[in-house]
Every structure is written in structure tokens, then in C-alpha cells.
Amino acid sequence: DAGVTQSPTHLIKTRGQHVTLRCSPISGHKSVSWYQQVLGQGPQFIFQYYEKEERGRGNFPDRFSARQFPNYSSELNVNALLLGDSALYLCASSIPSGASTDTQYFGPGTRLTVL
Amino acid sequence: AQSVSQHNHHVILSEAASLELGCNYSYGGTVNLFWYVQYPGQHLQLLLKYFSGDPLVKGIKGFEAEFIKSKFSFNLRKPSVQWSDTAEYFCAVKASSNTGKLIFGQGTTLQVKP
């Protein structure tokens, strides 16, 4: 079975631009979460979407937004890019099997470099 | 606020040595606990998880972890490491009342010398 897929793999942008990252969950998974992983740190939670609705948001500015489509794929959008947005952006999918037993499976990530 | 602390940032072991990676969290309620591994050039993979029941959980590739509630700890162990265990290991915590939001530690880089 295919795992979580993300596109593009790598992306280079300049400050002030915007970017759209895409994620396709594992077949049958209805929830998608986004994380930012800066070099040398663990992933930081950005958003969770379930059934096209936002179910959670981390401590990120409004420049970050996301949405989920009827086929459960998702997009993460970042506006007015800053140098500090350079990171690996991870998508994770889960069924979920229940509020207390949700297990997230991660994709390979999109490496964003902001110059 | 919830947080996760991994005490060892970089661990170097010889093959066949025993491994224990520390993980402590701060949260007063019921939690779900996870260890993820990231092998060089690969994506984050689930190693093991704890939701409830037996506090000693076994994962893939011979790894196990023990949840000690009184110590807010979820340490990862392996009796005998192999060169192929070289990777970065992340401990993560989720409030069981929350469907998302994994809180990750900053990771431990394990280097196993052949």
C-alpha cells in the first residue's frame, strides 16, 4: 500500500513569496496533520484537518493556512515567506481510529528553502 | 503547556551494546506515547506506541519502551544494537483527549559503530 505522499520534494523560494505544499494521505485515512521540522529540532505541530474541518492549530502565525479536500488530500499554504520558514514540512495521516488511539503516519516531507 | 524532553542529544555505541534513550514529558492528564525513528535519507517511521494497558510495549526491530507514569517517562531500550540502528529517534506525546497535535522531543541521534 502507498504511504503518505507529499509534493514537491524540494522547493526554493525568496522572501515575500508564497508557497503551496501538497499531501495525499494513506488510502482510507481521513485526517491530515502538518508539522514543521527545523534542522536539529523535533517536528512542531501546525494544523490538523479531519473531514475537511480544522481540528487543531499550533502556535503559528496567520501566514500559515491549510485546507482539506473531499478526497482527504490537503494543502498547506504559507504567505509572505520569511527566512525562518526554511524547514522540512511534514504531513501525517491517520484514520483516526478514535480520539484516544489516533496514530499518525508520516510522509517524506517537503524541504522548503527561503532565500 | 505540554513538553517533551529527550536527555541525550547524541549517543555513540558499538555494535552489540545495549541502548536506553530517555524521554520525559510534562502533562498532567492521560497521554498517548510514541517513539518514531528517522533513518538516514528516510522519513519518520513509527517504532512503537503506548495507549493503555501493559506499560512495557514492544515495537519493531527489537525495540521496547516502558511507560512509568510516576516518573512521566517513556524510555526506549534495545538489548543489542546493530549498525543499521543508526538513526535519529524522536519521542512524542499526545494528550489522549486530543485527536491530533503530537508534541515531539528534539530528538536523539544514535550512531552505532560497526
Side-chain angles (χ1 to χ4, degrees), chain A residues 28 38 75 98 103-104:
Chain A
V38 174
E75 283 183 354
T103 300
Q104 296 179 27

Side-chain angles (χ1 to χ4, degrees), chain B residues 31-93:
Chain B
V31 293
N32 302 143
L33 299 157
F34 306 83
W35 276 97
Y36 286 86
V37 60
Q38 191 166 28
Y39 297 103
Q42 298 186 28
H43 61 277
L44 273 173
Q45 300 173 37
L46 181 67
L47 203 52
L48 48 77
K49 59 187 177 183
Y50 172 81
F51 290 137
S52 63
D54 189 344
L56 183 62
V57 293
K58 296 190 183 299
I60 60 173
K61 303 185 181 184
F63 285 90
E64 65 179 29
E66 184 176 13
F67 171 47
I68 302 179
K69 189 175 181 179
S70 61
K71 295 184 178 181
F72 299 90
S73 70
F74 191 55
N75 292 352
L76 181 70
R77 300 194 293 248
K78 186 172 184 178
S80 176
V81 294
Q82 302 173 330
W83 176 78
S84 59
D85 293 325
T86 295
E88 190 156 19
Y89 293 81
F90 292 94
C91 179
V93 171

Side-chain angles (χ1 to χ4, degrees), chain A residues 5-112:
Chain A
T5 59
Q6 293 185 243
S7 63
T9 306
H10 295 88
L11 204 51
I12 299 174
K13 292 286 188 179
T14 56
R15 283 177 295 175
Q17 288 188 311
H18 73 272
V19 67
T20 298
L21 310 180
R22 296 177 175 83
C23 171
S24 293
I26 294 170
S27 177
H29 285 196
K30 297 182 178 181
S31 180
V32 169
S33 298
W34 287 95
Y35 292 81
Q36 180 195 66
Q37 186 178 15
V38 174
L39 199 62
Q41 297 183 19
Q44 299 286 315
F45 175 78
I46 308 175
F47 286 111
Q48 186 194 29
Y49 276 77
Y50 174 59
E51 293 281 11
K52 295 176 289 181
E53 291 188 4
E54 182 182 304
R55 291 300 182 94
R57 184 185 183 112
N59 189 23
F60 281 81
D62 292 343
R63 299 185 296 107
F64 289 77
S65 63
R67 55 178 176 167
Q68 187 177 32
F69 299 99
N71 66 353
Y72 304 109
S73 67
S74 177
E75 283 183 354
L76 175 70
N77 295 283
V78 187
N79 293 324
L81 285 167
L82 303 174
L83 295 178
D85 295 332
S86 295
L88 180 68
Y89 288 85
L90 298 170
C91 174
S93 78
S94 57
I95 296 175
S97 56
S100 63
T101 56
D102 185 26
T103 300
Q104 296 179 27
Y105 298 90
F106 285 82
T110 293
R111 173 73 61 188
L112 172 64

